[in-house]
Amino acid sequence: MKLRNIQQTVSILGIVALLSVSSAASAGGRLSERAKEVLANRPLDMVELIVTYRQAPGPNDRASVVNNGGHIRHEFKLIKGHAITVPAQAAKALENNPNVERVSNDEPVDVMATKPAKSLPSPILTAFPGLEQSPYTGAGIGVAVIDSGMRSHPDKKPTISMAFGYSKTDDKYGHGNHVAGIIAGTGDHSQGPYRGVAPNADIISLRVLDENGQGLTSDVIAALDWIHANANENGDQVPIHVVNLSLGHPVVEAAENDPLVQAVETLWKNDGIVVVCSAGNAGRDGYGTVTSPGNSSLVITVGSVTHWGDDDPMNDMVSTYSSRGPTRIDRFVKPDLVTPGNRMISLKAKDSYLHKNHPEREIVAPGKSTAEYLQLSGTSMSAAVVSGAVALMLEQDPTLTPDTVKARLMRSTRKVDFADVFATGAGMLDIDAALNESGYASNASSPRVFRDDATGRLGFENTNVLWGGDEWALGYLWSDGYLWSDGYLWSDAYLWSDGYLWSDGYLWSDGYLWSDGYLWSDGYLWSDGYLWSDGYLWSDGYLWSDDTLTSDATAALVDD
């Protein structure tokens, strides 16, 4: 399968520059650099912070906040900390508490919506071919959707609804309904076409976003904290097996210091819950744009593919908005995989912001007179597809660990020719192949990429070492095994490659191709007008100036 990846307007050397940036932002005192910046910009304001402690906060820690004119908004067990509001001038006093581990800004999170386009072409259906015949429907699997809430719909009612930071659980924005429907919509109202991936999975809706699709990191962590306490104690309800996070914020500190990353990784490691995150919608800004918590090396981070609604895989491409890796500061190779996320049809939330303000996005099901569906685009939608696929895998085998689920998903993807691994990850989700995958991984951390400043070459952590088995070598994840499984290449903990070309899986491993001037200086490859300057590829109006593509296949409302 070929998956076209539109080159960014920024130079490819931007990755090299990104990898050369010092990770000093991860070092320093207990007050994060981002928190210092916020305090400096708002010296007279009350500020929202997240404080983590070496030991669980006790009475003296709480008194320190109150005595400095602040109050505690959330107290967490998942990360041994709490969210506070405190006068900026008093915030630095927190550093005097020897129990304080880290003080981070309470980052705003959102779904990163953009302005809608004027017109929309024929939509793409949510349904995935072959799933109607699958014996698995997600029955008995609970999927927590941490989002803007959920309103009951003819195709789905949430099994549990909770709100964090809000008094009502209804979806006032419209994003939560859409995500939940992609995961587990029954398709009853449309009589099939707009069915979700795992229609019998239970949705646990946890509202953390407002009517504009925005919220605070602390509310997201509060929802994760609730899952930590209640995942296996839902009374008559099913346990929670999967968490979907189709939201995020830009990376501002190292993953090990990021309280949101800490929270999702604790759920993953200690509670055995699979966490699926959207990669982000900042792909047009180039590499290093994956958002938190998708920058965690543990979680499954999903990018978006633009699929044109036909049977020709040759014209599929990585959505221009889909965020690219490697992750900032830590330089993990992300996303982990991609799947269609463009112009997806799913549940509309009645009277929500999207319903009231974007009637052009409403979809009327065949044979119906009222619009019960909505069309949205973004890596939010892609993450939801993968969460549904995970529900099917766990119904098939509830004993699978999060690491094994991730490893199987990545190894079973449809591998892409001329792929940029920082855009496509392991390749395109193949649900049927994932259900037929075998093998168990003791660890499925996304590999880290390094740059040797002396040679300019890139080193990738070898996943067969990281994950505990030769069957998980990078060659089986990113390309075909023949190219990546040579014993000489894999005898080291790292695979070294050149930093200039990021698209061709064949060129990643062959030293002859990387050093031979024939490949890089031949005018036919780099200067021939047909390949690099022909109007069809670079200047054709359909590709670069048509509204349907410059806004990425009419991603009229692009969500995280």
Side-chain angles (χ1 to χ4, degrees), residues 381-508:
M381 287 64 248
S382 302
V385 172
V386 171
S387 289
V390 172
L392 302 183
M393 295 172 69
L394 292 175
E395 180 192 6
Q396 180 190 46
D397 184 354
T399 68
L400 296 181
T401 65
D403 291 282
T404 292
V405 168
K406 178 180 175 180
R408 290 186 179 187
L409 281 170
M410 291 179 67
R411 191 170 70 173
S412 63
T413 57
R414 281 179 284 162
K415 304 311 174 188
V416 298
D417 295 331
F418 304 107
D420 176 347
V421 296
F422 295 122
T424 67
M428 177 87 82
L429 171 70
D430 186 327
I431 296 176
D432 185 61
L435 290 169
N436 286 287
E437 184 61 83
S438 61
Y440 297 87
S442 58
N443 169 32
S445 299
S446 301
R448 197 187 299 262
V449 60
F450 301 87
R451 179 171 183 264
D452 186 322
D453 291 333
T455 65
R457 303 177 79 200
L458 300 181
F460 293 85
E461 286 183 308
N462 193 349
T463 48
N464 70 342
V465 176
L466 276 178
W467 295 14
D470 288 343
E471 71 272 28
W472 305 117
L474 278 177
Y476 297 108
L477 303 181
W478 284 351
S479 173
D480 83 45
Y482 176 77
L483 295 175
W484 292 91
S485 60
D486 186 278
Y488 176 77
L489 291 174
W490 295 106
S491 59
D492 194 356
Y494 305 104
L495 172 68
W496 291 97
S497 183
D498 192 281
Y500 288 95
L501 185 68
W502 299 90
S503 59
D504 191 341
Y506 179 67
L507 299 178
W508 279 96

Side-chain angles (χ1 to χ4, degrees), residues 45-70:
D45 295 343
M46 298 290 285
V47 294
E48 293 75 31
L49 301 171
I50 296 175
V51 185
T52 53
Y53 294 88
R54 303 180 195 280
Q55 303 295 327
N60 291 338
D61 301 309
R62 299 184 190 96
S64 175
V65 174
V66 174
N67 292 341
N68 280 288

Side-chain angles (χ1 to χ4, degrees), residues 276-309:
V276 181
C277 302
S278 51
N281 287 348
R284 293 188 182 93
D285 294 330
Y287 294 92
T289 50
V290 170
T291 53
S292 172
N295 61 321
S296 162
S297 66
L298 298 187
V299 304
I300 301 169
T301 305
V302 189
S304 173
V305 167
T306 294
H307 178 61
W308 299 95

Side-chain angles (χ1 to χ4, degrees), residues 248-432:
H249 65 72
V251 173
V252 295
E253 56 190 325
E256 66 177 353
N257 295 326
D258 185 329
L260 184 52
V261 171
Q262 291 175 0
V264 296
E265 290 190 347
T266 300
L267 278 185
W268 182 283
K269 291 184 291 188
N270 295 357
D271 298 309
I273 295 174
V274 180
V275 181
V276 181
C277 302
S278 51
N281 287 348
R284 293 188 182 93
D285 294 330
Y287 294 92
T289 50
V290 170
T291 53
S292 172
N295 61 321
S296 162
S297 66
L298 298 187
V299 304
I300 301 169
T301 305
V302 189
S304 173
V305 167
T306 294
H307 178 61
W308 299 95
D310 54 31
D311 296 326
D312 182 8
M314 296 291 290
N315 61 15
D316 292 349
M317 68 181 200
V318 177
S319 304
T320 57
Y321 53 74
S322 186
S323 287
R324 272 70 168 162
T327 64
R328 287 197 172 274
I329 302 176
D330 299 287
R331 303 163 185 170
F332 296 123
V333 180
K334 292 282 183 170
D336 296 302
L337 74 164
V338 292
T339 197
N342 217 61
R343 293 185 288 138
M344 302 291 282
I345 296 173
S346 187
L347 315 186
K348 182 184 79 173
K350 187 178 180 181
D351 297 328
S352 66
Y353 174 88
L354 295 178
H355 172 207
K356 293 176 180 178
N357 293 277
H358 296 287
E360 78 284 356
R361 309 204 63 75
E362 294 186 350
I363 301 294
V364 178
K368 302 294 183 178
S369 58
T370 58
E372 294 287 353
Y373 300 94
L374 202 66
Q375 180 191 146
L376 295 177
S377 298
T379 59
S380 282
M381 287 64 248
S382 302
V385 172
V386 171
S387 289
V390 172
L392 302 183
M393 295 172 69
L394 292 175
E395 180 192 6
Q396 180 190 46
D397 184 354
T399 68
L400 296 181
T401 65
D403 291 282
T404 292
V405 168
K406 178 180 175 180
R408 290 186 179 187
L409 281 170
M410 291 179 67
R411 191 170 70 173
S412 63
T413 57
R414 281 179 284 162
K415 304 311 174 188
V416 298
D417 295 331
F418 304 107
D420 176 347
V421 296
F422 295 122
T424 67
M428 177 87 82
L429 171 70
D430 186 327
I431 296 176
D432 185 61

Side-chain angles (χ1 to χ4, degrees), residues 161-225:
S161 289
M162 299 281 293
F164 300 86
Y166 305 94
S167 59
K168 295 184 178 180
T169 61
D170 274 1
D171 186 0
K172 300 296 184 182
Y173 181 59
H175 188 267
N177 262 41
H178 200 272
V179 167
I182 291 175
I183 297 170
T186 63
D188 289 346
H189 181 78
S190 65
Q191 298 181 336
Y194 306 147
R195 194 191 91 152
V197 178
N200 287 333
D202 287 83
I203 293 294
I204 295 87
S205 173
L206 305 178
R207 182 186 175 190
V208 298
L209 302 176
D210 64 15
E211 64 275 8
N212 298 308
Q214 300 173 332
L216 287 173
T217 292
S218 57
D219 290 331
V220 179
I221 297 176
L224 294 166
D225 210 56

Side-chain angles (χ1 to χ4, degrees), residues 105-116:
N105 186 53
D106 192 352
E107 293 293 320
V109 295
D110 58 39
V111 295
M112 306 177 191
T114 62
K115 293 182 179 180

